[in-house]
Amino acid sequence: MKSKIWLSSPHMSGREMKYVQEAFDQNWVAPLGKNVDEFEDAIQRFLNEDKFVAALSSGTAALHLALIQLGVGYGDDVICQSFTFSASANPIKYLGANPVFVDSDPVNWNMSPIYLEEAIKDRISKNKKPKAVIVVHLYGMPALMEEITEICNRYEIPLVEDSAEALGSSYKNKMCGTFGEFAILSFNGNKIITTSGGGALVTSTKEQKEKTIFLSTQARDSAPHYQHSEIGYNYRLSNICAGIGRGQMEVLDERVRQRRSNHEFYREIFSDIEGVNLFSEANTDFFSNHWLSCITINKSITNKTNHQLMQAFAEDNIETRPLWKPMHLQPVFKDCPYYGETVSEDLFSAGICLPSGSNMTNDEKNRIYEVISKYEF
């Protein structure tokens, strides 16, 4: 059998062990230490904004702590993009709140400003003004942030950016992860950089960062004994994982270039294939890290489906994935309100995520090209 070509595998730089070994040598293996501090500082410098960063055990943990700090509680409404991974919505339910899902823009694939405002107006008419809006920069593509930010500001609803897939992406030269009251990052094994597991919460104030650290370390009061006035969580990133992150941050710009190069590779392949659309920036306002390169297949033109092409890849031991199944179609969220039409559903039924790792070799690209060139669209 041919070797596996993965969708998005971890890509180590060779610099990580320097910081990991330093942590072992100094016996700083707990969820605090120099690596944690330096990793947070490196992210803050990369974002190039007046923001603060708290390193945590996952992006999901970061979103949970963001919603807590925004006062989300039992029975509250939180608007969330429907076309996303479940981790964007699960923390809403952790707090006993109600997800309200919104459809996508057909070109941008992320939250539709039109349906966002429709949802806000309707929830307000029902005396259920949303406590927050969660927008996602899907597959590294920045959302329509100018319109979404304006709507949230006009209705005075805090905005949270799920930037788990978008570190290194920007909208109008402003980094994703710097638009909202809070933003979350993920360093899971398949992300553009990884700490094996981990995430971060980007905050607007130093006080919010300090509160995040307090909550993520079991909310211990300042006292000589163990005293707790709030519910806390075990969400802080370890110094070992942060050491991996420090090494990864040193090559982040290179990883973005490599992922964008993969996207150009797919652009060349599909440019002459009618009925196949490569998900790309609409104009120069958008700069995507192209964490994953994705296509949609118009089966009325090609007479083929996304699953048929996925099967052709699988026969060559090449991993692909469908696009995210919208949250409003998920059994666990079947009773949640939804605003929109069928954009996200249509994307799910027509789309494929293609191998996009920054460590993809020329030989692997040739194998991918061979599958596509032999496939009869």
Side-chain angles (χ1 to χ4, degrees):
M1 178 180 286
K2 294 181 180 179
S3 61
K4 181 88 167 185
I5 299 178
W6 298 98
L7 187 74
S8 179
S9 62
H11 188 183
M12 295 293 101
S13 69
R15 308 179 190 186
E16 295 83 4
M17 281 305 300
K18 168 187 172 183
Y19 300 113
V20 172
Q21 189 61 52
E22 181 180 293
F24 275 100
D25 291 344
Q26 298 174 357
N27 201 32
W28 281 106
V29 297
L32 75 165
K34 181 180 179 181
N35 282 338
V36 175
D37 296 337
E38 293 292 336
F39 184 42
E40 290 173 341
D41 288 346
I43 298 168
Q44 287 176 209
R45 289 193 300 271
F46 183 82
L47 294 177
N48 195 31
E49 290 284 336
D50 187 18
K51 294 286 184 177
F52 302 85
V53 175
L56 302 170
S57 57
S58 69
T60 310
L63 182 53
H64 187 195
L65 296 186
L67 295 180
I68 289 172
Q69 291 182 75
L70 291 174
V72 174
Y74 185 82
D76 288 333
D77 279 1
V78 175
I79 293 178
C80 182
Q81 190 165 311
S82 182
F83 191 45
T84 185
F85 179 51
S86 63
S88 302
N90 285 338
I92 302 171
K93 297 297 287 186
Y94 296 170
L95 295 167
N98 305 313
V100 175
F101 294 115
V102 169
D103 203 359
S104 292
D105 176 86
V107 175
N108 182 258
W109 291 17
N110 292 309
M111 182 179 284
S112 163
I114 295 170
Y115 293 120
L116 170 62
E117 185 160 25
E118 179 182 309
I120 291 172
K121 287 180 176 179
D122 188 60
R123 304 317 289 177
I124 290 175
S125 74
K126 294 176 167 62
N127 294 317
K128 293 282 290 181
K129 181 179 178 179
K131 292 294 288 287
V133 170
I134 301 171
V135 64
V136 187
H137 304 299
L138 207 62
Y139 304 119
M141 184 64 68
L144 298 166
M145 293 310 298
E146 187 169 59
E147 297 95 325
I148 290 169
T149 301
E150 190 279 326
I151 291 168
C152 288
N153 288 342
R154 180 153 38 90
Y155 289 95
E156 299 181 325
I157 301 173
L159 178 64
V160 179
E161 286 177 85
D162 182 341
S163 298
E165 302 170 6
L167 184 61
S169 300
S170 61
Y171 173 75
K172 293 189 174 181
N173 296 316
K174 182 177 171 66
M175 285 289 185
C176 292
T178 64
F179 288 88
E181 178 76 12
F182 292 96
I184 72 113
L185 303 173
S186 173
F187 309 116
N188 192 28
N190 63 358
K191 296 302 187 293
I192 196 159
I193 63 167
T194 182
T195 57
S196 78
L201 184 61
V202 182
T203 71
S204 297
T205 68
K206 184 179 180 181
E207 291 73 23
Q208 289 170 334
K209 173 180 176 174
E210 291 171 348
K211 182 71 171 183
T212 301
I213 295 172
F214 171 73
L215 292 171
S216 68
T217 51
Q218 300 292 14
R220 289 175 56 186
D221 292 342
S222 180
H225 50 274
Y226 288 94
Q227 178 167 301
H228 307 269
S229 302
E230 297 181 56
I231 296 296
Y233 306 87
N234 186 17
Y235 281 170
R236 196 70 161 124
L237 187 67
S238 83
N239 202 48
I240 300 297
C241 291
I244 300 172
R246 287 182 71 185
Q248 291 273 284
M249 283 300 297
E250 292 179 3
V251 294
L252 176 54
D253 286 328
E254 181 182 345
R255 297 294 181 259
V256 172
R257 286 193 294 271
Q258 290 164 326
R259 300 265 177 167
R260 287 178 60 82
S261 176
N262 291 339
H263 185 261
E264 290 306 310
F265 162 72
Y266 287 119
R267 188 192 301 278
E268 292 178 12
I269 292 176
F270 291 113
S271 60
D272 295 327
I273 300 177
E274 189 178 4
V276 177
N277 178 64
L278 178 67
F279 182 38
S280 303
E281 293 94 334
N283 55 55
T284 56
D285 287 344
F286 301 86
F287 179 90
S288 174
N289 65 15
H290 290 297
W291 170 63
L292 291 185
S293 290
C294 306
I295 57 171
T296 53
I297 299 175
N298 187 332
K299 59 186 177 183
S300 66
I301 296 176
T302 64
N303 200 32
K304 299 286 186 176
T305 69
N306 55 342
H307 289 283
Q308 288 173 313
L309 180 56
M310 290 173 62
Q311 180 59 36
F313 277 119
E315 290 171 1
D316 205 79
N317 205 21
I318 299 172
E319 183 183 26
T320 59
R321 295 275 180 88
L323 301 184
W324 298 123
K325 182 176 181 179
M327 291 300 100
H328 72 277
L329 299 182
Q330 299 286 352
V332 71
F333 296 123
K334 62 183 175 62
D335 296 325
C336 296
Y338 172 71
Y339 294 83
E341 296 183 2
T342 64
V343 173
S344 57
E345 296 175 30
D346 294 341
L347 289 169
F348 168 60
S349 67
I352 303 175
C353 300
L354 299 166
S356 303
S358 51
N359 51 2
M360 199 156 59
T361 66
N362 286 333
D363 286 344
E364 289 173 332
K365 287 182 179 180
N366 287 336
R367 280 176 57 192
I368 292 167
Y369 173 77
E370 285 297 318
V371 171
I372 296 170
S373 62
K374 293 177 180 178
Y375 189 77
E376 296 181 3
F377 284 96

